[in-house]
Amino acid sequence: MMPRDNMTSTVQKIAKQALMTFRNPYIVGEHKVFLENQSKLKNLLAEVRAADLKIVPRSVESASMMPPQRLAPPVTYMHIYETDTFSMGVFLLKTGASIPLHDHPGMYGMLKVLYGKVRISCFDRLEKPREGTSGVQFNPPLMPFQRSSLRPSVLRSVGEYTEDSGPCLLSPQKDNIHQIDAVDGPTAFIDILAPPYEPDKGRDCHYYKVLHAHSEAADRNSEAREQGDLWLIEIPQPSEFWCGGEPYPGPKVSL
């Protein structure tokens, strides 16, 4: 008889480790046990391949074979598993598609590319300056009500990931706001969020736009001009983005 460990699918092992990593909210963060479990989860996720989930990489040709009378969504989602602790699924992006700049309030996340290539741009919001935003100018000018949602921000990183890359990680404090772009063709990635989105508990998805500005102080100080001209403003979900759904074809998860 085949050993039990060899009969356990890769996705089942990942789900089990995700539950172990995030199930105790009292040790999530910088706690040693959490960091050790997070590292194990990252290592498991680094090994997953499209074939493990029975997902066949899509070519540009197959992605364009949708009947013309039916407009296909730029992004589709395959739901794998969800608990109160975490959610796991696969996003598939068509050629040239993007998941716009968005956040994950109070959430951890891991993303691992299964095929193709993605570019991930990560931002962090900074604390609102004490002097407010009255001296900051934008073109075109903002309406007064828009300024209340402005936050100075910093671009933390821009990186490209393929199936040979390790997972991309985010936390509530770092790289929490990001945009994901398909590069050079269709792409897919497995995604873990902990805890899942839950609007009733304050974990709703918000979308953002990057604004570049200048202030009188920044005009007088070249360093301030370089660091202080990046702002994020919350916007409605972009009209060109929507997400469809597809059945997940891979091994089932049971916890």
Side-chain angles (χ1 to χ4, degrees):
M1 179 180 293
M2 185 180 296
R4 185 174 181 84
D5 284 349
N6 290 342
M7 295 174 64
T8 303
S9 68
T10 299
V11 69
Q12 173 74 19
K13 293 177 181 177
I14 291 172
K16 184 177 179 180
Q17 184 60 45
L19 181 62
M20 187 176 301
T21 302
F22 298 109
R23 65 184 172 185
N24 187 347
Y26 298 105
I27 64 169
V28 171
E30 296 302 316
H31 195 284
K32 179 181 178 181
V33 174
F34 169 73
L35 294 176
E36 289 175 349
N37 278 318
Q38 186 184 47
S39 179
K40 292 177 182 178
L41 178 58
K42 180 181 177 182
N43 291 338
L44 281 172
L45 204 59
E47 299 300 320
V48 71
R49 295 294 183 266
D52 296 322
L53 308 181
K54 301 188 183 301
I55 292 176
V56 178
R58 299 179 183 181
S59 65
V60 176
E61 290 74 19
S62 65
S64 64
M65 291 175 65
M66 182 67 64
Q69 68 273 17
R70 182 181 175 188
L71 184 62
V75 178
T76 55
Y77 181 71
M78 295 178 174
H79 174 74
I80 297 177
Y81 195 78
E82 182 170 324
T83 71
D84 291 341
T85 301
F86 74 97
S87 63
M88 180 166 58
V90 174
F91 283 94
L92 301 98
L93 279 65
K94 294 173 61 178
T95 300
S98 295
I99 299 179
L101 197 61
H102 64 285
D103 64 0
H104 306 80
M107 301 156 69
Y108 288 83
M110 289 190 182
L111 178 164
K112 171 65 174 65
V113 174
L114 299 173
Y115 67 81
K117 182 190 294 185
V118 299
R119 180 183 301 112
I120 305 177
S121 304
C122 297
F123 293 78
D124 285 344
R125 283 180 297 185
L126 305 176
E127 290 299 321
K128 190 173 182 178
R130 293 180 181 178
E131 64 272 16
T133 63
S134 58
V136 183
Q137 303 302 318
F138 298 92
N139 188 15
L142 297 180
M143 299 295 289
F145 73 88
Q146 292 178 301
R147 289 186 173 270
S148 63
S149 65
L150 272 175
R151 291 294 183 274
S153 305
V154 60
L155 175 61
R156 290 294 185 194
S157 64
V158 179
E160 294 187 347
Y161 296 77
T162 69
E163 62 182 297
D164 296 322
S165 305
C168 175
L169 276 62
L170 65 90
S171 75
Q173 298 81 26
K174 186 177 180 182
D175 299 333
N176 192 269
I177 302 175
H178 61 223
Q179 176 168 317
I180 304 171
D181 302 301
V183 179
D184 300 332
T187 185
F189 59 86
I190 185 171
D191 187 67
I192 296 175
L193 290 176
Y197 281 116
E198 181 63 54
D200 292 340
K201 296 183 179 180
R203 298 193 303 272
D204 201 359
C205 184
H206 308 90
Y207 295 90
Y208 297 89
K209 180 180 179 180
V210 177
L211 298 179
H212 293 275
H214 67 275
S215 65
E216 295 177 1
D219 288 342
R220 294 190 298 267
N221 185 305
S222 60
E223 182 178 354
R225 182 165 59 249
E226 292 177 0
Q227 297 181 0
D229 67 346
L230 182 62
W231 297 73
L232 293 182
I233 187 170
E234 186 176 340
I235 60 171
Q237 178 174 320
S239 59
E240 68 273 12
F241 169 72
W242 74 101
C243 188
E246 292 186 26
Y248 163 62
K252 303 303 179 185
V253 170
S254 177
L255 296 177

